[in-house]
Every structure is written in structure tokens, then in C-alpha cells.
Amino acid sequence: SDRINIAIDGPAGAGKSTVARMVAGQLGYVYIDTGAMYRAVTLSAQRLSITAEQEQRLSDMLHSLRIDLEPGVSGQSIFVNGEDVTQLIRSREVTRQVSYFAASAVVRKVLSGMQRNMAGRKGVVMDGRDIGTHVLPDAELKIFLTASVKERALRRFKELPADQSVPLEQLEKEIAERDALDEQREISPLVRAKDAIELDSSHMTIEEVVGSIVKLSRTKL
Ligand code: C5P
């Protein structure tokens, strides 16, 4: 075939979404940000005061949610039942809670089903935590993208608008907490797939990371 699927997994702030979007751009593939989908579910639940433990309410909510991903001006836009929530899902409130909702069996089941459907025709670059291990175990290329906690916190720090500034130490703490929750959950925890290639981006530029993934993808065609 002339198209493959590429899975990019790794901890928070390793640069997965930037890298995945650029790789997709260079290859003419579709980029799918699965973290945005977990965030959209979190936002929707928060609005309805549903907690991560309320399986039945979550299940009802999920079955009435339509999530659409569309290529936008700067990256990808995400819509929930037609509403553009691209900005809203980046709030600290969502960021702080998302790992709890992502640990829910019903949430993972519904979202991974949607993600598998999206990748059915190949030519997809999907980033997340469990893409290579669980969502697309047959992806032709799997990358596990990491960076030190310090470096990841620093990148987040630089991205924050001045009016939302948070001390660097606080960001480090929140990133480490989210990693721990994602790595320790029972269902589809964050772990490197056995056949994934690990790239540590701590001392690499974005262009270098993108270049090496594009090069690797050519070896899989
Ligand atoms: O990638 P991002 O940091 O936006 O993901 C937000 C959260 O969504 C992660 O911390 C994780 O809890 C959850 N997630 C997941 N599985 C994925 C993608 C994201 O559990 N495939």
C-alpha cells in the first residue's frame, strides 16, 4: 500500500501534537489528536457536573456526544455537537481533571472505537498515550516520544499567555502528576509499545524530530 498509519505516544508535553501535525503535513496525511477527544469529554462532563466515577451518567453522555475533528488554521479544531471547543478544552480546569476521566472504562471504550474508525483508511498520524499499544496495535510505524519533566514543563511555561502565567515548579508538579496517573491506570496505561521506536526530544529541535519520523515512515512503505 502507499499509505501507512503512524502512532505517536508519550507523556504530556513531549511535543507529540506539534510533531504529529507537522509529520502529517509533510506526508499529506490526516492528523488526529486523541488527547483533544479526552479533553472534550472532560469539558462536557464538567458542564453537566458528572464525575469520573459516575459510569452510567458518563455512558449516557457519551452516547449523545458527536465529536468532530477538523483541520483548522493553526492546528486542529474540535467540535462537540457542533460547538467549537478548541480553546475551551485547553483550560487548566480541564487539564487538571482529564486524566481521571481518561481512566474510565466507558470513556476509553467509546473514544478508542471512534479513533479506530478514523484510521480505517490509512494515512493517519495519531497521537496519544495508548495508540501503539491499544488503539492501533497494527500501525506500521510507532514512535514513543519523550523528554525530561524539566524540559516539558519549560516548553509549557513558554507557551502560556502572560495573563495565565503559572510558576515553572507548579507546572513541573502538574506534569509529573498527570504522567503518574496516566502510567498507573489499569486500562491502557501509558507505556511504550514493544515495537515502538523511542525518541528523546530533550535535546532535539522540532524539525529534527519531524525529519527523523518522516524518514522512518519511508522505510515502512
Ligand atoms: O495529549 P494531551 O495532553 O492533550 O492529553 C490529555 C490527557 O488525555 C492525557 O493526560 C491522558 O490522561 C488522556 N489521554 C489518554 N489516551 C490518549 C490520549 C490522551 O488517556 N490516547
Side-chain angles (χ1 to χ4, degrees), residues 9 12-13 16 33-36 38-39 90 95 98-100 102-103 108 115 127-131 135 156 178 182 185 188:
D9 291 299
K16 297 186 300 295
D33 176 357
T34 64
Y38 286 91
R39 289 170 177 275
R90 301 291 155 195
T95 302
V98 61
S99 290
Y100 296 98
R108 300 209 73 82
Q115 291 154 11
D127 87 322
R129 303 293 187 288
D130 64 336
I131 310 307
V135 177
R156 278 283 145 94
R178 195 141 64 92
D182 291 342
R185 71 174 171 235
S188 307

Side-chain angles (χ1 to χ4, degrees), residues 79-198:
F79 297 81
V80 171
N81 295 337
E83 177 191 354
D84 186 343
V85 296
T86 311
Q87 303 298 324
L88 289 173
I89 60 164
R90 301 291 155 195
S91 77
R92 289 188 72 227
E93 214 28 57
V94 169
T95 302
R96 267 204 289 255
Q97 294 241 313
V98 61
S99 290
Y100 296 98
F101 287 93
S104 151
V106 62
V107 170
R108 300 209 73 82
K109 182 160 175 272
V110 171
L111 291 190
S112 42
M114 287 184 193
Q115 291 154 11
R116 250 173 238 131
N117 282 337
M118 293 171 169
R121 278 171 300 169
K122 303 271 179 178
V124 155
V125 183
M126 195 175 278
D127 87 322
R129 303 293 187 288
D130 64 336
I131 310 307
T133 51
H134 180 71
V135 177
L136 304 177
D138 298 328
E140 286 81 357
L141 177 60
K142 301 179 186 180
I143 303 291
F144 197 75
L145 190 62
T146 64
S148 65
V149 174
K150 253 203 154 50
E151 181 62 33
R152 291 186 280 128
L154 194 61
R155 290 177 189 170
R156 278 283 145 94
F157 184 74
K158 289 178 184 159
E159 279 170 7
L160 284 179
D163 63 325
Q164 288 175 33
S165 188
V166 178
L168 184 58
E169 300 70 43
Q170 176 70 19
L171 288 178
E172 264 182 47
K173 194 169 144 261
E174 288 178 10
I175 284 184
E177 277 169 8
R178 195 141 64 92
D179 286 353
L181 287 168
D182 291 342
E183 286 163 1
Q184 287 160 20
R185 71 174 171 235
E186 243 163 87
I187 313 164
S188 307
L190 169 65
V191 60
R192 183 176 74 84
K194 284 192 182 66
D195 51 351
I197 296 164
E198 182 158 349

